[in-house]
Amino acid sequence: MAFLEINNISKKFGDNIVLHHLSIKIEKGDFFSFLGPSGCGKTTLLRIIAGLEFPDAGQIILDGVDITNLPPQKRNTGIVFQNYALFPHMTVFENIAYGLKIKKISATEINKQVEAVLEKVHLVTKKDQNISLLSGGEQQRVSLARAIVMQPQLILFDEPLSNLDYSLRIEARNEIKRLQNEIGITSIYVTHDQSEALSLSDKIAVLQNGIAAQIGTSKEIYFKPANKFVAEFVGHYNFFDKESSAELFKYVTKDNEIAAVLPEHLSIHKTMERSSVTIKDILFAGSFVEYILQYKETVLRVISTASDQVFTIGDNVLLSATIEYIQTII
Amino acid sequence: MTKKYSIAKIILTVAVLFFVVGYIVYPLCQLLIQSFAEKGTYIQLFDKHVYTACFNSILLSVISVIGSAIIGVGLAYIFQYKKFAFKSFFSTMVLLPIAIPPMVGVMCFLFLLGENGLLLKLLPVNTFKFDGWFAIIALHLYSFYPLFFLFVGAAFKNLDNSIVEASYTLGASKIKTFYSVILPQLLPSLIGASLLTFMASMASFSAPFIFGGETRFLTTAIYYAKINSDNSYAAVLSILLTIISILFLAFLNWYRNKQPLTGRTKGAVKSIISFDNKKVSYLSLGIVLIFCIAIALPIISLFILSLIPEGSLMQPGLNYTYSLDNFKNIFIDNDALQPFINSVESSVIAIMLTLMIGLAVAYIIRGKKNVFKSLVEIIIALPYGIPGTVIAICLILSFNSPNLFSFHTILVGTFWILPIAYAVRNIPILSQAVMAGLHAIDPSIEEASATLGATNFKTWRAVTLPLIYPSILQGSLLVFINSFGEFVATILLYNYSTKTISVEVYSQLRLYNDGIAAAYGVIIFLIILLIVFLSRRALTRPSTINNL
């Protein structure tokens, strides 16, 4: 039996079906992500696990105990909210000590535990500061500290990095990964950012309209997408129907299949001959170049790390892909 | 900067200074001078009567604040977190007391619970007498709880629900979460509502005047001193009342500024989904329903009284013949119509005065702060802390002889003293509204206009004014509502030909002409309701930009 079992969960808001007979199993110590576009049900699922919403049907079983109908106070889960949800009228210390005080732990013990966790998130010097004086990144770390100090069975992240600047986001992401490795708490991470999910997770569930489109490791999701939705959402795959696949790659697909290739697995070459592929736009990003190509009615994306190659907009090019990188998707 | 603009600014500055000095600073100085006019007036402060009046006023205010807070916060909580039927209808119902000026409120309660009140006829109790402290407090709670309901209700709506959820997931119970997470977030709005309620209670005149009997409060003591022509005693008491009010204002302002910034959260505030079962929902509906009936009963009594012949209340039983005779009497009889006309005229003039001065103040204060601007801002806000009774005394002392600001006539006893009093009382409200509107405008919008070649005045007219129009409209309506039913200052300033609708209500009540008084009350109530309704519609309509 898995550590956390999400069994057949369904949830409706009015007529809107948010989760549809969803089942996921999460092993102890895993860093597990729910990945999907907005409205796919990922946050609702997280809130059901926390006890902030209750499912219409199905069960949540944590470590062999059915917690489906337990209120949030009775569950041992910590949440890091998207907006951090820090208590604005309390200091850093008071925020972190809040849950411990409710547990009726002695003042000296609380002090010790808060100090220890502040050490972990590198905020010892900010202990007595007011929340409103902290930067976004610091607030995010206080929020994390407040959750882990309770030593929860599960820690839930609700898009915790979406309010941070790009450079801070990378830093905070590494910080979360480091802490999770260190503490080994089972973590569930909700995000719509595939690069975040791919880099952080042991396993990912890609959610689509309330069902799990695919569950697997980062590599499985990225290199072996289960359907067109996953391929497009996670890897930004290029798609080719039967005719184009045959014309471009001499690759024959079955009638009901389409060929899918990652942008970085396509390559372009200069040609003197007339070709049906032209360069529409070139986006130079330093370590790589992204080419936007026009092929008949479709727009294709190619990413090349050979960023010193010389192409200009309007060039006719030859497109190629190695056979083993061509996926077939139903 | 063009020269034309400077001239406009100079003219506006002069106008503002004339108003500020002539109708706020000079009258206050007159009050001070008068208080020293006779020897030994300040000795009277140590008199037992003064002490008692002072104590009564403060006690009444504290009780009013606590009672209104309990009712208002409780209601706001139910409306925010419980699901029940007809919620939006009830949320309008509980705000009805706002449309009832104090004197009309007194009358409503008299008709319901007074000696021959409708409720007492229904219930077989003979010993109950609606009078004294009980009656005054009941009226205060009735008038002031909507402030708490509005302020705290707004705070509840802005409350970031994720901090409540965070508290739950950290193991806190609902009760623990309420007092250690929710309540601190409500504190600024609780302070705001307490401040308004305390000041309004200190300044309250109608209820203590009618129900107080021998119990003196500061406001009624000032009134009787003035009626007995003891000007310097009235002045001393006025100064005492003003000092208490302003001290309280200063204390709460200091306390509010001491609080850390709250509610600084990013991200969406999620709407609250209630998990309550049917039982809780029916219980909430029951509580709100009973409360709304209690709110409506005094108003219903007023309507019934306005529709039955004079003197019907004196007869036993509840079999009445209903007619519109009382209203007909008002509109046929020119004498009876005059108070109505007086009220409308003086309120409209008061609005125009406050608008002119309020906008001029906003225009000259906008931009970089300096000592002069800060001083104007403080003085303009000053009447907010001065009870209506005191403002009336100040104006009487200042304009009972000709001077520059009275345009060399005696203003006391004329019609003009009323709109001036209303304008002085309401200038803080209007300029606050305009200033709040200005504060919400991103300065870059005005800068954009300037870079596109508009002069400052053009920017003000074409960009700024349309943007603050909703604030101006709302401020003006508040001024109208406050002026239209004004009684406190009017009772000291009117004469027979200039008496207003609320003074007429009072004198008709004293003559036991309940029907006419009730009819006037109904008219006041309906006009205020109509204005509130119209303003809501005007404010919710998408703004049109074609009138630039």
Side-chain angles (χ1 to χ4, degrees):
Chain A
M1 198 178 211
F3 182 62
L4 178 72
E5 295 202 1
I6 297 162
N7 285 341
N8 223 358
I9 292 287
S10 293
K11 177 75 182 175
K12 274 202 268 186
F13 288 126
D15 290 335
N16 185 16
I17 298 169
V18 183
L19 296 172
H20 191 66
H21 298 296
L22 185 65
S23 295
I24 296 172
K25 288 182 170 54
I26 297 173
E27 296 300 333
K28 190 162 186 158
D30 265 4
F31 197 108
F32 199 104
S33 290
F34 299 158
L35 174 64
S38 60
C40 73
K42 56 191 191 300
T43 296
T44 305
L45 182 58
L46 189 87
R47 291 168 61 80
I48 286 174
I49 296 169
L52 298 170
E53 309 274 1
F54 294 93
D56 301 331
Q59 286 174 308
I60 304 285
I61 295 170
L62 179 61
D63 208 6
V65 182
D66 184 346
I67 59 164
T68 316
N69 294 312
L70 282 184
Q73 291 91 344
K74 298 269 169 64
R75 303 182 185 202
N76 197 9
T77 52
I79 296 199
V80 177
F81 287 86
Q82 183 172 16
N83 61 354
Y84 322 133
L86 298 174
F87 307 125
H89 56 294
M90 299 182 191
T91 62
V92 170
F93 176 87
E94 288 166 339
N95 262 281
I96 299 173
Y98 183 84
L100 296 174
K101 276 182 190 154
I102 290 164
K103 273 193 180 169
K104 302 252 189 298
I105 293 171
S106 73
T108 47
E109 182 60 26
I110 288 178
N111 229 324
K112 216 178 89 189
Q113 293 194 17
V114 174
E115 292 277 356
V117 79
L118 280 173
E119 193 99 28
K120 280 202 185 100
V121 296
H122 308 303
L123 279 175
V124 181
T125 53
K126 307 276 178 177
K127 185 179 161 190
D128 294 314
Q129 281 214 8
N130 214 297
I131 290 302
S132 52
L133 299 174
L134 300 184
S135 70
E138 287 166 343
Q139 292 192 5
Q140 201 261 335
R141 268 140 66 198
V142 175
S143 172
L144 185 59
R146 187 179 65 179
I148 58 180
V149 81
M150 300 296 288
Q151 297 175 326
Q153 285 175 283
L154 261 184
I155 187 158
L156 310 173
F157 295 93
D158 184 9
E159 307 208 18
L161 306 181
S162 59
N163 275 330
L164 297 176
D165 295 338
Y166 180 74
S167 58
L168 259 176
R169 213 179 308 161
I170 306 290
E171 197 185 311
R173 186 175 82 186
N174 297 339
E175 186 78 6
I176 287 176
K177 186 70 185 163
R178 177 184 68 77
L179 272 168
Q180 204 265 342
N181 280 337
E182 211 174 294
I183 307 166
I185 292 184
T186 313
S187 307
I188 298 178
Y189 191 96
V190 159
T191 182
H192 61 257
D193 182 329
Q194 21 80 20
S195 71
E196 243 171 68
L198 292 172
S199 59
L200 283 170
S201 318
D202 298 314
K203 269 189 149 185
I204 297 173
V206 183
L207 301 189
Q208 175 191 15
N209 298 328
I211 57 165
Q214 187 174 4
I215 301 174
T217 63
S218 295
K219 283 189 178 167
E220 285 166 0
I221 302 269
Y222 192 72
F223 292 119
K224 297 277 172 215
N227 61 21
K228 197 178 171 188
F229 169 80
V230 177
E232 188 156 26
F233 187 75
V234 180
H236 302 300
Y237 274 76
N238 295 296
F239 300 109
F240 305 91
D241 60 19
K242 194 172 192 256
E243 275 169 37
S244 10
S245 155
E247 187 197 329
L248 289 166
F249 313 122
K250 316 275 179 291
Y251 183 84
V252 184
T253 56
K254 294 196 191 101
D255 271 346
N256 56 350
E257 285 177 344
I258 46 171
V261 187
L262 282 163
E264 60 268 36
H265 287 162
L266 286 173
S267 48
I268 50 174
H269 315 276
K270 287 198 167 167
T271 176
M272 288 301 147
E273 296 157 39
R274 277 191 61 79
S275 145
S276 47
V277 181
T278 49
I279 296 182
K280 216 177 137 195
D281 207 353
I282 302 173
L283 308 166
F284 180 72
S287 57
F288 65 89
V289 188
E290 185 178 341
Y291 299 98
I292 311 291
L293 310 178
Q294 186 77 46
Y295 166 66
K296 289 179 185 165
E297 300 297 305
T298 41
V299 174
L300 303 172
R301 290 173 67 245
V302 173
I303 287 176
S304 164
T305 46
S307 44
D308 52 351
Q309 256 183 304
V310 189
F311 288 101
T312 44
I313 295 175
D315 281 0
N316 272 323
V317 289
L318 277 179
L319 188 70
S320 68
T322 325
I323 290 293
E324 55 262 36
Y325 286 143
I326 301 177
Q327 307 283 326
T328 47
I329 295 174
I330 299 167
Chain B
M1 242 165 253
T2 60
K3 193 149 195 186
K4 206 170 148 197
Y5 150 79
S6 300
I7 291 169
K9 193 154 185 171
I10 288 167
I11 293 170
L12 289 176
T13 309
V14 169
V16 167
L17 276 181
F18 186 81
F19 183 86
V20 163
V21 173
Y23 302 100
I24 301 176
V25 177
Y26 174 70
L28 280 172
C29 292
Q30 281 296 318
L31 181 70
L32 264 179
I33 292 167
Q34 194 69 44
S35 73
F36 288 108
E38 283 172 43
K39 272 184 187 164
T41 33
Y42 274 92
I43 302 290
Q44 288 175 299
L45 276 185
F46 301 99
D47 189 87
K48 190 169 159 280
H49 295 294
V50 176
Y51 167 76
T52 318
C54 194
F55 177 80
N56 285 343
S57 280
I58 292 175
L59 181 65
L60 175 65
S61 304
V62 169
I63 294 173
S64 303
V65 168
I66 294 171
S68 312
I70 291 170
I71 299 173
V73 174
L75 274 182
Y77 183 85
I78 293 176
F79 274 90
Q80 178 70 19
Y81 290 110
K82 302 296 166 196
K83 259 189 201 164
F84 52 88
F86 310 114
K87 204 170 185 173
S88 65
F89 169 76
F90 284 125
S91 67
T92 313
M93 274 292 288
V94 299
L95 290 177
L96 270 189
I98 291 180
I100 302 174
M103 195 56 220
V104 179
V106 167
M107 176 167 60
C108 291
F109 272 72
L110 275 176
F111 292 157
L112 181 68
L113 297 164
E115 249 173 298
N116 294 302
L118 292 173
L119 195 65
L120 292 199
K121 287 192 174 180
L122 286 171
L123 303 173
V125 277
N126 296 320
T127 50
F128 177 78
K129 195 163 185 308
F130 188 71
D131 207 3
W133 279 92
F134 177 77
I136 299 170
I137 290 169
L139 258 159
H140 275 199
L141 297 187
Y142 189 80
S143 319
F144 299 141
Y145 84 82
L147 283 175
F148 281 92
F149 180 75
L150 277 177
F151 277 49
V152 176
F156 267 132
K157 285 201 184 74
N158 289 331
L159 188 72
D160 176 2
N161 198 41
S162 64
I163 66 169
V164 176
E165 293 179 345
S167 173
Y168 289 163
T169 58
L170 290 167
S173 65
K174 278 193 168 182
I175 295 165
K176 162 83 180 160
T177 303
F178 184 79
Y179 71 77
S180 59
V181 173
I182 298 178
L183 209 55
Q185 303 305 307
L186 302 181
L187 208 58
S189 55
L190 274 175
I191 292 172
S194 303
L195 188 129
L196 287 178
T197 304
F198 186 90
M199 308 248 297
S201 303
M202 280 305 283
S204 169
F205 177 76
S206 310
F209 182 51
I210 304 290
F211 295 117
E214 288 302 303
T215 316
R216 283 282 180 276
F217 296 86
L218 277 177
T219 47
T220 49
I222 294 169
Y223 173 80
Y224 288 116
K226 175 67 200 135
I227 293 302
N228 294 331
S229 300
D230 194 348
N231 276 355
S232 51
Y233 187 41
V236 170
L237 288 176
S238 297
I239 287 171
L240 181 63
L241 179 55
T242 308
I243 287 174
I244 294 173
S245 295
I246 289 182
L247 273 184
F248 187 76
L249 186 75
F251 168 72
L252 278 186
N253 254 333
W254 166 79
Y255 189 73
R256 177 156 51 183
N257 291 337
K258 203 171 66 104
Q259 298 298 315
L261 280 177
T262 56
R264 207 188 73 114
T265 43
K266 300 174 190 170
V269 178
K270 289 190 189 79
S271 63
I272 290 129
I273 299 143
S274 162
F275 306 118
D276 289 328
N277 53 27
K278 280 228 159 73
K279 238 182 181 169
V280 179
S281 149
Y282 285 132
L283 184 69
S284 313
L285 180 63
I287 293 172
V288 172
L289 188 65
I290 291 171
F291 188 81
C292 282
I293 290 172
I295 289 303
L297 273 180
I299 302 169
I300 294 169
S301 319
L302 179 74
F303 274 83
I304 292 177
L305 258 287
S306 75
L307 293 172
I308 60 179
E310 291 290 359
S312 305
L313 213 52
M314 301 299 180
Q315 296 147 17
L318 287 163
N319 291 324
Y320 302 128
T321 47
Y322 294 95
S323 72
L324 287 172
D325 286 349
N326 293 323
F327 292 96
K328 274 186 203 146
N329 287 340
I330 291 179
F331 287 106
I332 289 167
D333 189 350
N334 256 338
D335 261 11
L337 195 58
Q338 192 58 44
F340 179 72
I341 295 167
N342 285 343
S343 278
V344 172
E345 277 181 2
S346 50
S347 307
V348 170
I349 294 170
I351 290 183
M352 295 195 304
L353 274 174
T354 46
L355 262 182
M356 284 188 318
I357 301 302
L359 287 176
V361 167
Y363 185 73
I364 61 172
I365 280 185
R366 189 103 171 113
K368 247 178 151 179
K369 283 256 151 18
N370 60 33
V371 180
F372 169 72
K373 286 177 181 180
S374 308
L375 199 65
V376 170
E377 212 177 336
I378 289 171
I379 297 174
I380 278 290
L382 208 55
Y384 183 66
I386 306 174
T389 315
V390 177
I391 287 177
I393 297 283
C394 288
L395 292 180
I396 291 170
L397 297 177
S398 308
F399 299 124
N400 55 9
S401 58
N403 61 33
L404 171 67
F405 301 113
S406 68
F407 299 99
H408 298 290
T409 56
I410 297 173
L411 281 179
V412 175
T414 67
F415 167 78
W416 286 97
I417 195 85
L418 295 179
I420 289 174
Y422 300 164
V424 171
R425 286 203 71 181
N426 287 300
I427 189 72
I429 292 176
L430 195 95
S431 46
Q432 272 301 311
V434 174
M435 238 89 92
L438 283 176
H439 198 71
I441 300 177
D442 186 344
S444 60
I445 294 177
E446 286 171 311
E447 286 162 11
S449 168
T451 59
L452 292 169
T455 60
N456 283 5
F457 192 72
K458 168 79 181 164
T459 299
W460 173 257
R461 203 175 55 78
V463 177
T464 316
L465 266 185
L467 284 174
I468 60 173
Y469 158 76
S471 316
I472 295 175
L473 184 65
Q474 243 167 352
S476 312
L477 290 167
L478 264 179
V479 174
F480 184 85
I481 292 173
N482 285 346
S483 307
F484 190 63
E486 216 281 348
F487 180 70
V488 188
T490 316
I491 190 80
L492 284 163
L493 296 171
Y494 82 101
N495 69 30
Y496 183 75
S497 64
T498 67
K499 66 182 168 185
T500 63
I501 197 160
S502 55
V503 170
E504 183 67 7
V505 163
Y506 169 65
S507 37
Q508 293 293 348
L509 273 182
R510 287 192 62 172
L511 297 169
Y512 293 101
N513 292 333
D514 293 347
I516 289 277
Y520 276 121
V522 167
I523 291 171
I524 297 178
F525 176 70
L526 289 182
I527 285 180
I528 292 178
L529 267 196
L530 182 75
I531 283 171
V532 172
F533 173 74
L534 287 180
S535 73
R536 274 199 183 176
R537 279 197 50 182
L539 290 177
T540 49
R541 216 172 36 195
S543 62
T544 46
I545 316 173
N546 50 17
N547 56 350
L548 292 188

